[in-house]
Amino acid sequence: MISPLASADEGYTQGWLGAPDWVLDRTDTSILPDFYYPRNISGTDIEIPTVSSSIAKGNTLLAGGSFLDAKRQFEEAIRLNSRSFDAWLGLGYALEGSKRYQSAVDSYKTAISLSGGEESAWAAYAGLGRVSLALGQYEAAEQAFQTAIRMGEETGYADTDQMQSLYDNLAKARQKMGNEFGTVFARNSEDTIT
C-alpha cells in the first residue's frame, strides 16, 4: 500500500485527489476543476489557478475598477470551466465596465443560459438591461429589467438598493422608448396634416 504522503518523485501527485499520475493524466479535469492539481516537478511553489480563485481575483479587480485585469481572470475561469455562471457574469461586468457593450451582451446572455435556477440570475438580466440601454436597444432593456425585477422579488436575493436601481433603469428605458415613439408620432402627424 502506498502512503497517502507519497512524493511526486514516486509517480503520485499531491493535492486533494492525491492519485497516481497515470490515472490523473486520463482524468477529465473539467469534472472537478477546483480539486485537480497537476504535478509540480519544478521544485518551486507555484499557484495553480482554479475556477474559484480566478473568479475571486476577478471580483476583487472589478471592485478596484481594473476591468481589463478582471476580464483576464474571468476568461481564465471560463477556460477552466466554460459552464460557470459566475465566470460569465463576471466577464459581463468587466466588459460592461470597459464599455465593450456588445461583448457584454453576449456574456450576460451566456450567463443567463447557464443560470439553471441560480438565485443570482437576476443580476445577469440586470446587466443585460444596462448594456441594452447603453446600446439604445430600449425594448430589450425594458424586457431585461422586467425579468430582473420579477426574479429579484421572487427570490428576495436583490437588496433594496439593487431593486431601486432596477426600477430606475426600467423607467429610463420606458422614457427613452416614449421619447423615440413620441418623436416618430409627431413627425408622422405633421406629415399627414395639410
Side-chain angles (χ1 to χ4, degrees):
M1 181 170 152
I2 301 290
S3 162
L5 298 174
S7 73
D9 296 335
E10 296 173 30
Y12 279 72
T13 188
Q14 300 299 308
W16 187 81
L17 290 178
D21 291 334
W22 66 269
V23 171
L24 293 176
D25 289 340
R26 294 184 177 127
T27 302
D28 182 2
T29 58
S30 66
I31 295 171
L32 296 171
D34 280 353
F35 301 108
Y36 175 76
Y37 302 102
R39 184 171 67 156
N40 177 8
I41 57 173
S42 69
T44 60
D45 289 335
I46 57 171
E47 182 181 343
I48 298 171
T50 63
V51 175
S52 298
S53 68
S54 295
I55 291 171
K57 286 179 184 175
N59 286 333
T60 301
L61 290 164
L62 276 178
S66 299
F67 300 116
L68 184 58
D69 292 333
K71 175 184 169 286
R72 288 186 193 115
Q73 289 298 317
F74 292 120
E75 288 172 337
E76 175 66 17
I78 290 167
R79 186 187 64 76
L80 294 169
N81 180 3
S82 63
R83 304 209 39 86
S84 171
F85 166 80
D86 291 323
W88 283 102
L89 179 63
L91 181 60
Y93 286 143
L95 292 167
E96 180 182 354
S98 301
K99 299 189 183 327
R100 294 182 55 196
Y101 298 127
Q102 192 56 54
S103 296
V105 166
D106 297 338
S107 293
Y108 286 132
K109 284 182 177 181
T110 302
I112 290 166
S113 72
L114 296 173
S115 65
E118 289 271 343
E119 289 181 337
S120 57
W122 70 270
Y125 282 101
L128 180 60
R130 286 190 308 272
V131 294
S132 295
L133 191 60
L135 289 169
Q137 300 168 350
Y138 305 125
E139 289 181 41
E142 179 187 35
Q143 290 173 354
F145 289 132
Q146 286 175 335
T147 303
I149 289 168
R150 180 182 49 77
M151 293 178 84
E153 289 175 346
E154 286 175 1
T155 64
Y157 205 79
D159 66 30
T160 306
D161 290 338
Q162 292 166 329
M163 290 301 293
Q164 185 61 50
S165 176
L166 291 173
Y167 280 110
D168 291 346
N169 283 324
L170 176 61
K172 286 179 192 173
R174 287 181 172 164
Q175 180 185 20
K176 293 287 188 178
M177 286 185 348
N179 287 344
E180 186 176 290
F181 293 135
T183 303
V184 170
F185 178 76
R187 269 193 246 129
N188 288 339
S189 297
E190 290 172 5
D191 290 343
T192 56
I193 298 175
T194 55

